[in-house]
Amino acid sequence: MFAFQNKLNKSNLMRTIQFREAVCEAMSEEMRRDESIYLMGEEVAEYNGAYKASKGMLDEFGPKRVIDTPIAELGFAGIAVGSAMNGNRPIVEFMTFNFSLVGIDQIINNAAKMRQMSGGQFNMPIVFRGPTASAGQLGATHSQAFENWFANTPGLKVVVPSNVYDAKGLLKAAIRDNDPVIFMESEQMYGDKGEVPEGDYVLPLGVADIKREGTDVTIVSFGKIIKEAFLAADELVKEGISCEIIDLRTVRPMDYDTIINSVKKTNRLVVLEEAWPFASVASEITYMVQERAFDFLDAPIQRITTADTPAPYSPVLLKEWLPNADDVVKAVKKVTYK
């Protein structure tokens, strides 16, 4: 049970649900609120979603608002752009963000740019959502994290929740946003359980969350890999090292201030990310910290990423390829000179 749950309003009645249920509830609640919202993607309707994240939605909203598509990401991403220009608010599910590359022209060249290129005449209230990064032995072409790719594009917002509570509140905010939002989940988190309050709640985009307060080192992460940071912090506290853990939640817009203020307190920074090292989100954070808080650093910043290779299929190699808690412990000890 992570520290964020201690921050909730205790007057709210809490209940435990799965990550997939949080996603489904967020979409369903927003679709009840606004008839211009609809969901489309491969197997979202008749099959209740590839990961059962749209279970029951076809029965409630019907085939005009929960739409099974052909295996044609470029086509239905383009339909989303056109329908958004005509006043609708589509939610597009990619079975995995690896498949979004087939439709990336519509995301990068149309959805991200239409508002600017039309002089503000067209909003682009689209959510592109689905699982990101690795999910076990799925091979190199199904195990990629593209958060930094999409975050590199002006006009897109990129959200990567790490837990059930954040997933629901952030997805509701993404659906209400008038800009295109890339909402990236994880196949390995759909079965995770967590507490959410009864009733409506929305979490703002662009605001990081300090999940665990500490004094000796700041660890910044996001998505499912942040679990390794918590495991490491539990081990490090036994050796007298206090870790502050920041969950970005939103990769773009990034909450630089929360990171900078934490580094000014702890004087050390480790960034944990499940992606390749070159031009990573960690690289962006490292640049901004050295620019705005260089004099506060007592050690070089350490980043922890996957190996700079395609994801291996072998379970032995995959374990070596992925960042883990031991990597975090080593990095923290390096910046604290332990």
Side-chain angles (χ1 to χ4, degrees):
M1 193 85 48
F2 295 157
F4 76 89
Q5 292 178 333
N6 296 328
K7 299 181 180 182
L8 299 179
N9 186 343
K10 296 301 181 181
S11 64
N12 290 340
L13 180 63
M14 305 299 293
R15 57 201 171 83
T16 300
I17 62 174
Q18 290 185 329
F19 193 104
R20 59 168 56 88
E21 293 173 310
V23 170
C24 185
E25 285 189 4
M27 294 190 294
S28 296
E29 289 173 11
E30 293 305 302
M31 286 174 68
R32 293 179 197 122
R33 188 182 63 84
D34 185 344
E35 292 187 355
S36 69
I37 300 169
Y38 68 93
L39 170 67
M40 67 175 170
E42 295 149 357
E43 299 184 349
V44 299
E46 294 287 346
Y47 193 66
N48 286 313
Y51 313 101
K52 301 299 182 264
S54 54
K55 186 176 181 179
M57 292 181 65
L58 175 62
D59 292 337
E60 178 174 357
F61 299 105
K64 290 187 177 181
R65 296 185 67 195
V66 182
I67 305 166
D68 278 330
T69 65
I71 304 174
E73 287 79 8
L74 178 62
F76 61 78
I79 289 171
V81 172
S83 71
M85 292 174 69
N86 282 278
N88 293 303
R89 307 182 73 89
I91 304 168
V92 175
E93 178 180 305
F94 295 119
M95 193 177 293
T96 160
F97 261 96
N98 297 278
F99 300 163
S100 74
L101 301 190
V102 181
I104 202 168
D105 177 65
Q106 290 293 341
I107 300 170
I108 301 297
N109 279 331
N110 290 327
K113 297 177 174 62
M114 188 59 66
R115 187 171 185 175
Q116 189 246 26
M117 292 179 68
S118 69
Q121 294 181 76
F122 294 106
N123 290 328
M124 276 287 117
I126 306 173
V127 175
F128 298 100
R129 51 158 293 269
T132 183
S134 64
Q137 293 177 262
L138 297 181
T141 58
H142 289 67
S143 304
Q144 303 170 107
F146 297 123
E147 292 89 349
N148 59 322
W149 284 30
F150 289 113
N152 189 253
T153 306
L156 296 180
K157 297 177 180 179
V158 181
V159 181
V160 193
S162 69
N163 58 74
V164 175
Y165 175 79
D166 287 358
K168 182 174 180 181
L170 291 169
L171 182 52
K172 288 171 72 71
I175 294 169
R176 296 183 188 187
D177 202 282
N178 284 326
D179 291 317
V181 180
I182 308 295
F183 195 90
M184 309 180 95
E185 302 152 15
S186 168
E187 289 180 48
Q188 292 184 328
M189 289 177 60
Y190 284 119
D192 286 3
K193 294 182 178 180
E195 291 186 334
V196 299
E198 294 282 2
D200 185 60
Y201 75 98
V202 178
L203 297 177
L205 304 185
V207 179
D209 190 30
I210 299 175
K211 300 296 192 190
R212 177 172 180 152
E213 296 187 356
T215 56
D216 296 327
V217 59
T218 299
I219 303 173
V220 177
S221 189
F222 58 92
K224 78 171 188 291
I225 203 67
I226 200 174
K227 296 177 181 181
E228 301 299 319
F230 286 102
L231 293 173
D234 288 341
E235 289 301 313
L236 289 161
V237 75
K238 298 174 184 176
E239 302 182 37
I241 301 174
S242 173
C243 299
E244 180 147 294
I245 300 177
I246 296 176
D247 186 345
L248 286 180
R249 301 198 296 195
T250 303
V251 172
R252 182 163 186 165
M254 189 178 291
D255 184 358
Y256 296 112
D257 289 342
T258 294
I259 300 169
I260 298 298
N261 290 335
S262 178
V263 170
K264 287 181 177 180
K265 178 177 70 172
T266 67
N267 309 118
R268 297 170 178 87
L269 175 62
V270 172
V271 187
L272 170 63
E273 178 181 1
E274 187 183 345
W276 297 308
F278 190 87
S280 59
V281 174
S283 301
E284 167 66 15
I285 293 171
T286 299
Y287 172 80
M288 290 303 298
V289 170
Q290 68 82 30
E291 182 184 52
R292 294 177 54 184
F294 180 81
D295 291 338
F296 291 87
L297 288 170
D298 287 344
I301 298 167
Q302 295 294 306
R303 68 177 180 184
I304 307 165
T305 65
T306 66
D308 197 15
T309 68
Y313 177 78
S314 159
V316 176
L317 294 177
L318 184 63
K319 184 177 179 180
E320 291 297 315
W321 184 80
L322 279 169
N324 58 47
D326 288 341
D327 297 327
V328 180
V329 169
K330 291 174 184 176
V332 169
K333 288 185 175 182
K334 186 171 183 179
V335 299
T336 54
Y337 302 109
K338 298 291 187 181

